[in-house]
């Protein structure tokens, strides 16, 4: 995985973690309205929503990353993302800002990082408000499916 | 001008544009066989289509030009500049005719005799022939060919010398498709191209997506407007409404094309094949104006062609064979397309030799797909299905037409992967009919919106037969056959899919429902009902794909945005039916001593299964002891350890074969249960399920029969289930008095009203009489009141006296000491750990796992029963 130096990220909070989503994959920040149940879906799937005529599958990032949500799910904020050409929705505790962290602040995954995190996380940036976990969204989706199996 | 002619003009215009360039190249490289072949094919194609469309003047011209080209190709003529000029001149003339054809829809009148004569002279090397003769030939021959060509493909007139040269040419592709080798160049002067714009399919797809969003937005606006009092928007909203609808219809129309587009090349193909194969074939095409989604059209073009070729090659016989068989010497292939029930149906029928079941069976046996015994037992219709197996071809000789083993399996896969179906019906000696069915369009599907547990889902209308109300409030209760929910609907026993359970919602058993809807669906002539809570109306929905992470569970065809902007998933009826047949819908059969048809009074009506097995009168058995009825394919009956067993849901069931048939294919089987075990019998025929008292009138001493019972004056043999089952399954628990069996009384002790409420109907359905107590003290009060129970089901974490102490009290009491107690707990493991050895629980069960709960209860009862 190439180091994303100079890349822009949308920051978000989920389960007390500071997450970074590559800005290229983010299409919208919104509140999910009328989430509909998706039976037989992997547990991390929060439901389906209509995003301007497209049906997006909404993933609860806290559930996907096995984190305890710190906000009431009713207050959860949504992020619309595009993963490998498919529209998905994410549910996070809060959305931060768009940042462009300097490459010098980048750190690769430490040796003691467990396998699940190692897979979904491309690396870290030191930030004043915490350690920014750079998410690899296709890997997150794979993990969601694997958790269901 | 009809559709076909328009297409032809546009196509010919492109071809001619290319042809000019090609001819010029040919003049420069007279020996380039590739260019020559391309030019020849182009002229050949135009000629063929002209003949088909009845454009005589054009056909005569192209025919003459083709002869010249054929001569050049055969080496009899060098492409001298003069010859090329003459052909170019002919092309100019063709263009003039085409332009006129485009404007007026008809061929202009005119005389091309001079040009044709010049071409014929060039081709025939007969400059000294009498003018009159040449005229006659030029006039007569092409006309004869043009009319006969397509109408009677096998007529001898096309064996004329004019055709001999081109037909023998081996570089002429038998498909006669529009040659793809030559890149079409936009013709400069033809207007046809300007009127038809080629648009990338993706553009149409994007349009379709956007318009569906617009429709949804419109619907939302309409809804908002209905509740608002502002009248200023009424008029513009109405206009927006109409325009959106019109726009939507327009865009949907861009996706539709007449099916004739897919098969317009078929007459040539058949004609050429008939020649190659020495057969006489008449191709009839009906319904080529039938509109079909472009996506479907693209997809079926090749499969259709493949099947038509198959019909020519394998299906139809040679004229000699046909005469011998007493048929006319001209074989007939009929393509028929029509709309039916929201589907496009395409039939490819031939009156040929039909599928020879014995040859297919032979090949299947040779390939190890069948044993000889099975082959003898299967009916020919099932044997014929083997042609859809991979790598299956019965063609004894591989021709260049077909028989290469890339066959019907690919065709069927192709069709099915696009949501269609392919069936064959064939009678040996009479002919075969292949039927393809497709949804009208893949993009917009009419669907019924239903609700389960407050969630809305869509079921494609194409699969729905009817909707019925059911439940205790509607005098049409959902019943249990074994543990499988069924509905009696007009003399049919309809298997039910309990949608809420299939989708993993926490739902009460279907049989306890007071008022539900049953959506009756049909999958390949199999009917079943889907139990839902609510039914809304039908909507045209746009199918959107399911996200990749959800594709593991293929219960859904896709997602849809409904008219009100809400999202719903589209159920796949095929999968629902699959769930129905592969898994017990309600609960595990083996753990449920289901006795719903049981009554305390034997004279009361019970549902009886009436069937024929071997000789003697028809037999009757109480339906309550039947777990399931199945048609069993012979390969599922196997010998294991010297006993005959039935492969059943990954299990092996002891099997008794009571029928006397040996030629049948799928034989009906009745699977009986004794509350714990299952065993099966194969019978001749299952006749009916009737309501009648199972009262034995005449006790007999014939083993296997309990005696005779009379139903409406007809005597039936009371089938002794236990006798037959014990013979094949020594562990079978006989319950001769099954139908009058007392229900086991169970006391449920739980302080959660929720769980008491949840468990009661479940246990009642499973055949228990249920009494509840909210704590240990209340339960013990019942003991003191002299009540007796067969089983106590108790929560461990009871408030007040806990479960362990309660169990101790029960076991210490003289009244209830023998009553088994099953402990319910959230975590079985920790409960076991905490339990004192003398606690007195017979079993521990997770209270949220109803299957294991029921199983533990049944086992606890059994243990006690055995001890007694």
């Amino acid at each position: 995985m190439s180091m994303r130096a100079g890349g822009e990220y949308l920051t978000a909070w989920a389960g007390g973690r500071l997450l970074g989503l590559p800005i290229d994959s983010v299409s919208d920040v919104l509140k999910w309205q009328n989430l509909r149940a998706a039976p037989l879906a992997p547990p991390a799937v929060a439901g389906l929503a209509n995003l301007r005529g497209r049906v997006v599958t909404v993933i609860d990032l806290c559930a996907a990353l096995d984190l305890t949500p710190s906000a009431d799910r009713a207050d959860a904020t949504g992020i619309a993302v595009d993963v490998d050409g498919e529209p998905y929705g994410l549910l996070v505790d809060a959305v931060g800002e768009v940042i462009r962290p300097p490459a010098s602040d980048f750190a690769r995954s430490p040796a003691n990082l467990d396998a699940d995190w190692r897979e979904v996380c491309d690396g870290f940036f030191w930030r004043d408000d915490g350690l920014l976990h750079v998410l690899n969204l296709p890997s997150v989706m794979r993990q969601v499916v694997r958790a269901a199996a | 001008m009809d559709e076909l002619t328009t297409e032809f003009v546009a196509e010919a215009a492109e071809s001619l544009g290319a042809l000019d360039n090609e001819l010029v190249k040919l003049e420069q490289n007279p020996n380039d066989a590739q260019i020559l072949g391309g030019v020849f094919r182009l002229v050949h194609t135009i000629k063929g289509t002209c003949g088909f469309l009845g454009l005589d003047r054009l056909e005569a011209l192209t025919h003459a030009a083709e002869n010249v080209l054929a001569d050049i190709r055969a080496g009899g003529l060098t492409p001298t500049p003069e010859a090329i000029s003459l052909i170019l001149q002919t092309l100019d003339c063709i263009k003039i005719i085409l332009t006129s054809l485009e404007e007026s829809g008809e061929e202009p009148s005119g005389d091309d005799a001079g040009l044709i004569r010049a071409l014929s002279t060039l081709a025939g090397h007969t400059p000294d022939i009498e003018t009159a003769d040449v005229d006659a030939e030029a006039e007569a021959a092409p006309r004869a060919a043009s009319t006969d060509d397509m109408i009677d493909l096998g007529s001898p007139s096309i064996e004329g010398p004019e055709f001999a040269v081109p037909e023998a040419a081996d570089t002429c592709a038998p498909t006669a498709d529009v040659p793809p080798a030559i890149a079409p160049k936009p013709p400069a002067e033809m207007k046809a191209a300007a009127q038809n714009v080629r648009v990338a399919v993706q553009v149409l797809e994007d349009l379709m997506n956007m318009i569906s969003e617009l429709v949804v937005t419109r619907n939302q606006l309409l809804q908002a407007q209905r509740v608002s009092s502002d009248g200023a928007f009424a008029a513009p909203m109405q206009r927006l409404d109409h325009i959106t609808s019109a726009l939507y219809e327009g865009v949907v129309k861009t996706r539709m094309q007449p099916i004739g587009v897919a098969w317009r090349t078929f007459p040539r193909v058949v004609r050429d094949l008939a020649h190659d194969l020495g057969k006489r074939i008449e191709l009839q095409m009906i319904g080529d104006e039938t509109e079909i989604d472009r996506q479907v059209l693209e997809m079926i073009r090749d499969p259709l062609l493949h099947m038509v070729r198959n019909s020519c090659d394998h299906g139809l016989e040679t004229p000699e064979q046909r005469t011998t068989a007493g048929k006319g010497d001209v074989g007939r292939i009929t393509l028929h397309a029509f709309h039916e029930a929201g589907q496009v149906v395409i039939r490819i029928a031939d009156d040929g030799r039909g599928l020879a079941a014995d040859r297919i069976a032979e090949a299947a046996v040779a390939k190890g797909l069948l044993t000889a015994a099975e082959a003898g037992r299967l009916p020919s219709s099932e044997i014929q299905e083997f042609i859809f197996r991979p790598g299956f071809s019965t063609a004894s000789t591989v021709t260049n037409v077909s028989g290469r083993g890339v066959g019907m399996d690919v065709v069927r896969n192709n069709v099915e992967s696009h949501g269609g179906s392919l069936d064959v019906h064939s009678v040996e000696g009479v002919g075969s009919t292949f039927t393809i069915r497709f949804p009208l369009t893949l993009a917009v599907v009419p669907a019924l919106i239903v609700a389960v547990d407050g969630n809305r889902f869509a079921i494609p209308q194409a699969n729905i037969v009817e909707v019925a109300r059911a439940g205790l409030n509607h005098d049409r209760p959902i019943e249990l056959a074994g543990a499988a929910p069924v509905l009696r609907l007009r003399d049919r026993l309809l298997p039910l899919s309990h949608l809420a359970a299939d989708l993993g919602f926490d739902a009460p058993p279907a049989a306890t429902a007071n008022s539900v809807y049953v959506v009756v669906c049909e999958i390949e002539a199999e009917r079943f009902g889907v139990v839902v809570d609510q039914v809304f109306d039908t909507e045209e929905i746009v199918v959107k794909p399911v996200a990749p992470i959800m594709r593991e569970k293929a219960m859904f065809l896709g997602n849809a945005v409904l008219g009100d902007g809400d999202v719903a998933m589209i159920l796949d009826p095929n999968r629902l039916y699959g769930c129905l047949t592969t898994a017990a819908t309600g609960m595990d059969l083996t753990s449920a001593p289901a006795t719903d048809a049981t009554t305390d009074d034997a004279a009361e009506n019970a549902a009886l299964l009436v069937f024929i097995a071997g000789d003697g009168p028809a037999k009757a058995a109480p339906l309550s002891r039947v777990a399931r009825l199945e048609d069993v394919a012979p390969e599922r009956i196997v010998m294991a350890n010297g006993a005959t067993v039935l492969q059943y849901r990954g299990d092996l069931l002891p099997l008794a074969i009571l029928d006397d048939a040996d030629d049948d294919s799928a034989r009906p089987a009745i699977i009986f249960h004794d509350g714990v075990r299952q065993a099966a019998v194969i019978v001749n025929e299952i006749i009916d399920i009737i309501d009648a008292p199972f009262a034995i009138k005449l006790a007999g001493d014939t083993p296997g029969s309990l005696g005779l019972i009379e139903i409406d004056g007809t005597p039936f043999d009371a089938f002794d289930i236990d006798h037959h089952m014990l013979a094949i399954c020594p562990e079978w628990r006989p319950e001769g008095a099954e139908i009058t069996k007392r229900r086991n009384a169970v006391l449920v002790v739980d302080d959660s009203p929720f769980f008491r409420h949840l468990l009661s109907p479940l246990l009642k359905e499973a055949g228990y009489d249920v009494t509840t107590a909210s704590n240990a003290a209340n339960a013990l009060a019942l003991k003191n009141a002299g009540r007796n129970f067969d089983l106590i089901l108790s929560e461990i974490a009871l408030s007040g006296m806990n479960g362990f102490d309660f169990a101790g009290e029960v076991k210490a009491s003289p009244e209830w000491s023998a009553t088994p107690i099953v402990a319910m707990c959230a975590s079985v493991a920790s409960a076991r750990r905490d339990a004192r050895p003398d606690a007195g629980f017979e079993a521990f069960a997770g209270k949220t796992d109803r299957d294991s709960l029921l199983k533990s209860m049944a086992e606890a009862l059994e243990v006690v029963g055995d001890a007694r």
Side-chain angles (χ1 to χ4, degrees), chain A residues 36-42 45 48-50 52-53 55 57 59 86 88 141 145, chain B residues 213 455 457 502-503 505 544 547-550 553 555-556 559 561 565-567 569:
Chain A
R36 291 297 160 210
L40 310 177
V45 173
L48 303 175
N50 174 7
R52 290 189 291 278
V55 179
T57 305
I59 311 286
E86 295 285 339
Y88 283 99
M141 295 306 161
V145 175
Chain B
E213 284 181 34
N455 298 285
F457 295 95
D502 285 349
L503 295 180
F505 291 117
K544 294 170 185 277
I549 61 161
M550 308 264 290
K553 302 273 199 257
M555 190 72 107
F556 302 100
N559 297 324
V561 177
D566 212 345
V567 176
M569 300 193 84

Short mmCIF file of all heavy atoms in Angstrom, two decimals, chain A residues 36-42 45 48-50 52-53 55 57 59 86 88 141 145, chain B residues 213 455 457 502-503 505 544 547-550 553 555-556 559 561 565-567 569:
data_model
loop_
_atom_site.label_atom_id
_atom_site.label_comp_id
_atom_site.label_asym_id
_atom_site.label_seq_id
_atom_site.Cartn_x
_atom_site.Cartn_y
_atom_site.Cartn_z
N ARG A 36 -33.81 1.26 6.23
CA ARG A 36 -34.67 0.08 6.14
C ARG A 36 -33.87 -1.17 6.44
O ARG A 36 -32.73 -1.29 6.02
CB ARG A 36 -35.28 -0.04 4.74
CG ARG A 36 -36.28 1.05 4.44
CD ARG A 36 -37.47 0.99 5.38
NE ARG A 36 -38.18 2.25 5.42
CZ ARG A 36 -38.84 2.70 6.48
NH1 ARG A 36 -38.85 2.00 7.61
NH2 ARG A 36 -39.48 3.83 6.42
N ALA A 37 -34.52 -2.10 7.13
CA ALA A 37 -33.84 -3.32 7.53
C ALA A 37 -33.38 -4.12 6.32
O ALA A 37 -34.06 -4.16 5.30
CB ALA A 37 -34.78 -4.18 8.37
N ALA A 38 -32.23 -4.71 6.43
CA ALA A 38 -31.72 -5.60 5.38
C ALA A 38 -31.58 -6.98 6.00
O ALA A 38 -30.56 -7.29 6.60
CB ALA A 38 -30.38 -5.10 4.87
N PRO A 39 -32.62 -7.80 5.86
CA PRO A 39 -32.58 -9.12 6.49
C PRO A 39 -31.44 -9.97 5.94
O PRO A 39 -31.08 -9.82 4.77
CB PRO A 39 -33.92 -9.75 6.14
CG PRO A 39 -34.76 -8.66 5.58
CD PRO A 39 -33.84 -7.59 5.09
N LEU A 40 -30.93 -10.83 6.76
CA LEU A 40 -29.89 -11.80 6.38
C LEU A 40 -28.58 -11.12 6.00
O LEU A 40 -27.70 -11.74 5.44
CB LEU A 40 -30.34 -12.70 5.22
CG LEU A 40 -31.72 -13.35 5.38
CD1 LEU A 40 -32.05 -14.15 4.14
CD2 LEU A 40 -31.73 -14.26 6.59
N ALA A 41 -28.49 -9.84 6.27
CA ALA A 41 -27.27 -9.12 5.91
C ALA A 41 -26.22 -9.37 7.00
O ALA A 41 -26.56 -9.78 8.11
CB ALA A 41 -27.57 -7.64 5.80
N PRO A 42 -24.94 -9.12 6.70
CA PRO A 42 -23.93 -9.22 7.74
C PRO A 42 -24.29 -8.30 8.91
O PRO A 42 -24.95 -7.27 8.70
CB PRO A 42 -22.66 -8.72 7.04
CG PRO A 42 -22.90 -8.96 5.60
CD PRO A 42 -24.38 -8.82 5.39
N VAL A 45 -24.20 -4.43 8.86
CA VAL A 45 -25.06 -3.66 7.96
C VAL A 45 -26.20 -3.05 8.78
O VAL A 45 -26.99 -3.77 9.39
CB VAL A 45 -25.63 -4.53 6.82
CG1 VAL A 45 -26.66 -3.75 6.01
CG2 VAL A 45 -24.49 -5.00 5.92
N LEU A 48 -30.66 -0.19 4.69
CA LEU A 48 -30.60 0.36 3.34
C LEU A 48 -31.22 1.75 3.35
O LEU A 48 -32.14 2.01 4.11
CB LEU A 48 -31.40 -0.51 2.37
CG LEU A 48 -31.02 -1.98 2.28
CD1 LEU A 48 -31.99 -2.70 1.35
CD2 LEU A 48 -29.61 -2.12 1.74
N ALA A 49 -30.69 2.61 2.54
CA ALA A 49 -31.24 3.95 2.47
C ALA A 49 -31.30 4.41 1.03
O ALA A 49 -30.57 3.90 0.17
CB ALA A 49 -30.39 4.92 3.28
N ASN A 50 -32.19 5.34 0.78
CA ASN A 50 -32.33 5.93 -0.54
C ASN A 50 -31.51 7.21 -0.58
O ASN A 50 -31.79 8.17 0.12
CB ASN A 50 -33.81 6.22 -0.80
CG ASN A 50 -34.02 6.96 -2.10
OD1 ASN A 50 -33.10 7.14 -2.89
ND2 ASN A 50 -35.25 7.38 -2.33
N ARG A 52 -30.75 9.86 -3.06
CA ARG A 52 -31.07 10.44 -4.36
C ARG A 52 -31.30 9.39 -5.45
O ARG A 52 -30.67 9.39 -6.49
CB ARG A 52 -29.96 11.40 -4.79
CG ARG A 52 -29.93 12.66 -3.93
CD ARG A 52 -28.98 13.69 -4.49
NE ARG A 52 -27.60 13.27 -4.35
CZ ARG A 52 -26.89 13.40 -3.25
NH1 ARG A 52 -27.44 13.93 -2.17
NH2 ARG A 52 -25.64 13.01 -3.19
N GLY A 53 -32.18 8.47 -5.13
CA GLY A 53 -32.56 7.48 -6.13
C GLY A 53 -31.66 6.26 -6.18
O GLY A 53 -31.99 5.28 -6.82
N VAL A 55 -29.89 3.14 -4.17
CA VAL A 55 -30.04 2.41 -2.93
C VAL A 55 -28.65 2.13 -2.37
O VAL A 55 -27.83 1.49 -3.03
CB VAL A 55 -30.79 1.08 -3.15
CG1 VAL A 55 -30.90 0.32 -1.84
CG2 VAL A 55 -32.17 1.35 -3.72
N THR A 57 -26.21 0.66 0.74
CA THR A 57 -26.15 -0.25 1.88
C THR A 57 -25.33 0.45 2.96
O THR A 57 -24.18 0.82 2.71
CB THR A 57 -25.50 -1.57 1.46
OG1 THR A 57 -26.23 -2.06 0.34
CG2 THR A 57 -25.52 -2.58 2.57
N ILE A 59 -23.32 0.77 6.35
CA ILE A 59 -22.51 -0.03 7.27
C ILE A 59 -22.28 0.78 8.55
O ILE A 59 -21.89 1.94 8.48
CB ILE A 59 -21.12 -0.32 6.67
CG1 ILE A 59 -21.22 -0.84 5.25
CG2 ILE A 59 -20.30 -1.23 7.57
CD1 ILE A 59 -21.69 -2.24 5.15
N GLU A 86 -19.18 0.87 -6.08
CA GLU A 86 -20.49 0.60 -5.50
C GLU A 86 -20.80 1.66 -4.44
O GLU A 86 -19.93 2.01 -3.65
CB GLU A 86 -20.50 -0.78 -4.82
CG GLU A 86 -20.32 -1.94 -5.78
CD GLU A 86 -21.57 -2.21 -6.59
OE1 GLU A 86 -22.65 -1.81 -6.15
OE2 GLU A 86 -21.44 -2.82 -7.66
N TYR A 88 -21.94 2.95 -1.01
CA TYR A 88 -22.19 2.47 0.34
C TYR A 88 -22.42 3.66 1.25
O TYR A 88 -22.04 4.79 0.92
CB TYR A 88 -20.99 1.67 0.87
CG TYR A 88 -20.89 0.27 0.33
CD1 TYR A 88 -20.04 -0.03 -0.72
CD2 TYR A 88 -21.66 -0.75 0.87
CE1 TYR A 88 -19.94 -1.32 -1.22
CE2 TYR A 88 -21.57 -2.04 0.38
CZ TYR A 88 -20.72 -2.32 -0.66
OH TYR A 88 -20.64 -3.59 -1.14
N MET A 141 -14.99 -3.50 3.82
CA MET A 141 -16.13 -4.25 3.27
C MET A 141 -15.86 -5.75 3.32
O MET A 141 -16.73 -6.55 3.61
CB MET A 141 -16.41 -3.80 1.83
CG MET A 141 -16.86 -2.36 1.72
SD MET A 141 -18.27 -2.04 2.80
CE MET A 141 -18.21 -0.27 2.92
N VAL A 145 -18.01 -8.73 5.38
CA VAL A 145 -18.52 -9.99 4.83
C VAL A 145 -17.96 -11.16 5.64
O VAL A 145 -18.66 -12.11 5.97
CB VAL A 145 -18.16 -10.13 3.35
CG1 VAL A 145 -18.57 -11.49 2.82
CG2 VAL A 145 -18.81 -9.02 2.54
N GLU B 213 -35.08 8.18 -10.98
CA GLU B 213 -34.95 9.09 -9.84
C GLU B 213 -35.95 10.23 -9.95
O GLU B 213 -36.55 10.66 -8.96
CB GLU B 213 -33.54 9.67 -9.79
CG GLU B 213 -32.53 8.68 -9.25
CD GLU B 213 -31.14 9.28 -9.19
OE1 GLU B 213 -31.04 10.48 -8.93
OE2 GLU B 213 -30.19 8.52 -9.41
N ASN B 455 -41.52 -4.32 7.90
CA ASN B 455 -40.59 -4.02 6.81
C ASN B 455 -41.25 -4.35 5.48
O ASN B 455 -41.88 -5.40 5.34
CB ASN B 455 -39.31 -4.85 6.94
CG ASN B 455 -38.58 -4.52 8.21
OD1 ASN B 455 -37.95 -3.49 8.33
ND2 ASN B 455 -38.71 -5.40 9.20
N PHE B 457 -41.28 -5.35 1.51
CA PHE B 457 -40.52 -6.10 0.51
C PHE B 457 -41.33 -6.15 -0.78
O PHE B 457 -42.55 -5.99 -0.75
CB PHE B 457 -40.24 -7.52 0.99
CG PHE B 457 -39.35 -7.57 2.19
CD1 PHE B 457 -39.90 -7.64 3.46
CD2 PHE B 457 -37.98 -7.49 2.06
CE1 PHE B 457 -39.09 -7.64 4.57
CE2 PHE B 457 -37.16 -7.49 3.16
CZ PHE B 457 -37.72 -7.57 4.43
N ASP B 502 -38.04 -16.98 7.44
CA ASP B 502 -37.01 -17.14 6.41
C ASP B 502 -36.03 -15.97 6.41
O ASP B 502 -34.86 -16.11 6.09
CB ASP B 502 -37.64 -17.25 5.02
CG ASP B 502 -38.27 -18.60 4.80
OD1 ASP B 502 -38.03 -19.49 5.64
OD2 ASP B 502 -38.99 -18.78 3.81
N LEU B 503 -36.57 -14.80 6.75
CA LEU B 503 -35.72 -13.61 6.71
C LEU B 503 -35.05 -13.36 8.05
O LEU B 503 -34.39 -12.35 8.24
CB LEU B 503 -36.55 -12.39 6.31
CG LEU B 503 -37.11 -12.43 4.89
CD1 LEU B 503 -37.91 -11.18 4.60
CD2 LEU B 503 -35.99 -12.58 3.87
N PHE B 505 -36.47 -12.77 10.97
CA PHE B 505 -37.14 -11.94 11.95
C PHE B 505 -37.67 -12.83 13.07
O PHE B 505 -37.99 -13.99 12.85
CB PHE B 505 -38.33 -11.19 11.32
CG PHE B 505 -37.92 -10.13 10.35
CD1 PHE B 505 -38.27 -10.23 9.01
CD2 PHE B 505 -37.18 -9.04 10.76
CE1 PHE B 505 -37.90 -9.26 8.11
CE2 PHE B 505 -36.80 -8.06 9.87
CZ PHE B 505 -37.16 -8.18 8.53
N LYS B 544 -32.55 -2.40 -8.78
CA LYS B 544 -31.18 -1.94 -8.58
C LYS B 544 -30.39 -3.06 -7.92
O LYS B 544 -30.93 -3.80 -7.11
CB LYS B 544 -31.17 -0.69 -7.69
CG LYS B 544 -31.83 0.48 -8.39
CD LYS B 544 -32.06 1.64 -7.48
CE LYS B 544 -32.84 2.73 -8.17
NZ LYS B 544 -32.02 3.61 -8.99
N ALA B 547 -25.88 -4.73 -3.08
CA ALA B 547 -24.46 -4.43 -2.83
C ALA B 547 -23.66 -5.73 -2.73
O ALA B 547 -24.18 -6.74 -2.25
CB ALA B 547 -24.32 -3.64 -1.53
N PRO B 548 -22.42 -5.71 -3.21
CA PRO B 548 -21.62 -6.93 -3.21
C PRO B 548 -21.53 -7.61 -1.84
O PRO B 548 -21.53 -8.83 -1.76
CB PRO B 548 -20.23 -6.45 -3.67
CG PRO B 548 -20.49 -5.20 -4.41
CD PRO B 548 -21.71 -4.58 -3.82
N ILE B 549 -21.49 -6.80 -0.79
CA ILE B 549 -21.33 -7.44 0.52
C ILE B 549 -22.58 -8.19 0.95
O ILE B 549 -22.56 -8.95 1.90
CB ILE B 549 -20.96 -6.42 1.63
CG1 ILE B 549 -22.07 -5.38 1.79
CG2 ILE B 549 -19.64 -5.76 1.36
CD1 ILE B 549 -21.98 -4.68 3.12
N MET B 550 -23.68 -7.98 0.24
CA MET B 550 -24.92 -8.68 0.60
C MET B 550 -25.18 -9.88 -0.31
O MET B 550 -26.18 -10.56 -0.18
CB MET B 550 -26.11 -7.72 0.45
CG MET B 550 -25.95 -6.43 1.17
SD MET B 550 -26.73 -6.46 2.76
CE MET B 550 -28.43 -6.48 2.25
N LYS B 553 -26.00 -13.94 0.56
CA LYS B 553 -27.35 -14.44 0.79
C LYS B 553 -28.21 -14.02 -0.38
O LYS B 553 -28.68 -12.91 -0.45
CB LYS B 553 -27.93 -13.83 2.07
CG LYS B 553 -27.10 -14.11 3.30
CD LYS B 553 -27.50 -15.42 3.91
CE LYS B 553 -27.05 -15.51 5.33
NZ LYS B 553 -25.96 -16.24 5.70
N MET B 555 -31.07 -14.22 -1.30
CA MET B 555 -32.51 -14.30 -1.12
C MET B 555 -33.19 -13.18 -1.91
O MET B 555 -34.38 -13.20 -2.11
CB MET B 555 -32.82 -14.16 0.37
CG MET B 555 -34.25 -14.45 0.74
SD MET B 555 -34.61 -16.18 0.62
CE MET B 555 -34.69 -16.60 2.35
N PHE B 556 -32.39 -12.22 -2.35
CA PHE B 556 -32.98 -11.05 -2.98
C PHE B 556 -32.50 -10.89 -4.42
O PHE B 556 -31.37 -11.18 -4.75
CB PHE B 556 -32.60 -9.79 -2.19
CG PHE B 556 -33.06 -9.88 -0.76
CD1 PHE B 556 -32.17 -10.21 0.24
CD2 PHE B 556 -34.38 -9.66 -0.44
CE1 PHE B 556 -32.60 -10.31 1.55
CE2 PHE B 556 -34.82 -9.76 0.86
CZ PHE B 556 -33.92 -10.08 1.87
N ASN B 559 -32.59 -4.39 -5.12
CA ASN B 559 -33.22 -3.37 -4.30
C ASN B 559 -34.14 -2.54 -5.18
O ASN B 559 -33.99 -2.53 -6.39
CB ASN B 559 -32.18 -2.45 -3.68
CG ASN B 559 -31.26 -3.20 -2.75
OD1 ASN B 559 -31.68 -4.11 -2.05
ND2 ASN B 559 -29.99 -2.82 -2.76
N VAL B 561 -36.38 1.40 -5.19
CA VAL B 561 -36.88 2.61 -4.55
C VAL B 561 -38.37 2.67 -4.86
O VAL B 561 -38.77 2.63 -6.01
CB VAL B 561 -36.17 3.87 -5.08
CG1 VAL B 561 -36.76 5.11 -4.45
CG2 VAL B 561 -34.68 3.79 -4.80
N GLY B 565 -40.44 6.95 -2.13
CA GLY B 565 -39.04 7.27 -1.84
C GLY B 565 -38.39 6.31 -0.87
O GLY B 565 -37.19 6.37 -0.64
N ASP B 566 -39.20 5.41 -0.34
CA ASP B 566 -38.65 4.46 0.60
C ASP B 566 -37.91 3.34 -0.16
O ASP B 566 -38.09 3.17 -1.36
CB ASP B 566 -39.78 3.86 1.43
CG ASP B 566 -39.31 3.53 2.82
OD1 ASP B 566 -38.09 3.49 3.02
OD2 ASP B 566 -40.15 3.31 3.69
N VAL B 567 -37.10 2.60 0.57
CA VAL B 567 -36.32 1.54 -0.04
C VAL B 567 -36.91 0.19 0.33
O VAL B 567 -37.36 0.00 1.46
CB VAL B 567 -34.86 1.62 0.47
CG1 VAL B 567 -34.05 0.47 -0.08
CG2 VAL B 567 -34.23 2.93 0.09
N MET B 569 -36.38 -4.25 -0.46
CA MET B 569 -35.62 -5.28 -1.15
C MET B 569 -36.59 -6.14 -1.95
O MET B 569 -37.73 -6.35 -1.55
CB MET B 569 -34.84 -6.13 -0.16
CG MET B 569 -33.86 -5.31 0.65
SD MET B 569 -32.67 -6.33 1.54
CE MET B 569 -31.45 -6.64 0.27
#
